[in-house]
Amino acid sequence: MLPEPRHRARTRLSAWSSGRRRTIATLTVLVLVVLGVVGGLTIGRTTDEPAVAGEPGATALGPLTGPPTLYGRVQRVVDPATVVVDVGGRPVTVSVVGVDTAATPACARADAQRFAEGFLDGQEVTLVPDPTLPVPAADAPTWPAYLVVGTQQSYTDAALVAGWVDPGQGRYRPGFEAGQRIAQDRRAGMWGPPCNRTS
């Protein structure tokens, strides 16, 4: 067998060493990324995050407020602020956080009900708690929660922007009020004819 020409041997050696260099560079970058992530986690833990119970220096956080997040299907819309949801075969009456119907005028109630039914009836929903509200008692008649449909849209936001309800209490009340202002500017729902609510 004839010896390989020098220029070919050099080319193969050069390709081998540049491939090897690329591999070493890639591994170096990966190691640095891993070290950066681990270091960042360690720094974040020592400066910002609370210690885990049982570790030295840990402090008790106390009980967290609010019910757990639940999933279910809407069985019935009682009114624009109250919905019955089937959660694992159990009917749960939900009072929708951020929705207040006390000031909805009589001339808008039927349309507000139709809107709620059209938006929610039969929908799979996520019941999202509001940690700023008190935990309901075990025997409470309703479960306070936001209702989020499959498109990730909050029913509270939709009902406010459509102009059928007033903003209720909750962590996101400034956002609720902004939604109501949109409805007022557009003269949507009860803010337009035939009700023409002014305040």
Side-chain angles (χ1 to χ4, degrees):
M1 193 168 172
L2 293 171
E4 191 173 30
R6 276 189 192 173
H7 70 280
R8 244 186 236 167
R10 272 198 302 271
T11 303
R12 291 178 67 173
L13 180 61
S14 171
W16 178 81
S17 39
S18 67
R20 187 171 175 217
R21 270 189 246 132
R22 256 190 244 114
T23 304
I24 290 170
T26 303
L27 288 173
T28 304
V29 168
L30 285 173
V31 168
L32 289 173
V33 167
V34 169
L35 288 174
V37 168
V38 171
L41 288 175
T42 305
I43 290 166
R45 175 62 188 278
T46 55
T47 57
D48 300 324
E49 296 179 3
V52 174
E55 288 186 356
T59 57
L61 293 175
L64 296 175
T65 59
T69 298
L70 301 174
Y71 307 92
R73 186 179 293 276
V74 174
Q75 287 183 320
R76 184 166 60 96
V77 177
V78 179
D79 60 54
T82 313
V83 178
V84 178
V85 179
D86 181 322
V87 178
R90 183 184 123 205
V92 175
T93 303
V94 177
S95 58
V96 185
V97 176
V99 171
D100 183 359
T101 58
T104 301
C107 57
R109 286 186 197 139
D111 287 329
Q113 181 70 15
R114 275 192 287 275
F115 174 83
E117 289 172 354
F119 194 91
L120 293 170
D121 204 24
Q123 291 286 327
E124 288 188 3
V125 292
T126 304
L127 279 59
V128 181
D130 187 323
T132 64
L133 298 178
V135 181
D139 59 349
T142 62
W143 192 264
Y146 299 100
L147 292 180
V148 179
V149 297
T151 59
Q152 301 306 305
Q153 189 176 11
S154 162
Y155 164 68
T156 299
D157 293 335
L160 285 162
V161 170
W164 298 120
V165 298
D166 281 323
Q169 294 305 310
R171 178 177 187 175
Y172 306 106
R173 186 170 171 96
F176 304 158
E177 291 169 348
Q180 184 180 55
R181 284 192 296 275
I182 290 171
Q184 290 169 323
D185 292 344
R186 292 179 181 169
R187 297 184 58 75
M190 60 185 163
W191 305 102
C195 296
N196 295 314
R197 184 176 152 191
T198 56
S199 61

